[in-house]
Amino acid sequence: MKISIKCDCGNEVKILAPLSKYTQFRDYLSSQKFYIGNVKIEDSNLKEFTIQCNVCKSWIVLGVD
């Protein structure tokens, strides 16, 4: 499986996740100057998190509920 994130400024990361294996998402993001912040957890469940580009400081919020 492959997950790609590309900011409008051109900063990009491609996360290669072998099937049925654990992948450390945060490590891949930080290796290409992205940052996970503002994590929202309710009743022990992840609800949303922010991904920020450390090149241009743009960000998005991803909901996972």
Side-chain angles (χ1 to χ4, degrees):
M1 200 174 280
K2 187 188 306 183
I3 301 168
S4 296
I5 299 173
K6 184 174 182 180
C7 184
D8 290 342
C9 74
N11 188 19
E12 182 176 15
V13 63
K14 292 181 182 173
I15 300 167
L16 303 176
L19 296 177
S20 303
K21 300 290 182 187
Y22 180 85
T23 299
Q24 187 61 38
F25 191 62
R26 184 183 305 263
D27 289 350
Y28 274 96
L29 291 179
S30 65
S31 73
Q32 294 300 318
K33 299 180 183 171
F34 286 96
Y35 172 78
I36 293 179
N38 298 332
V39 176
K40 182 178 178 183
I41 298 172
E42 291 179 5
D43 299 322
S44 299
N45 294 309
L46 177 63
K47 294 295 183 180
E48 64 185 36
F49 62 97
T50 302
I51 296 178
Q52 178 178 323
C53 173
N54 286 341
V55 173
C56 69
K57 307 302 182 203
S58 295
W59 54 273
I60 59 170
V61 177
L62 298 174
V64 294
D65 57 338

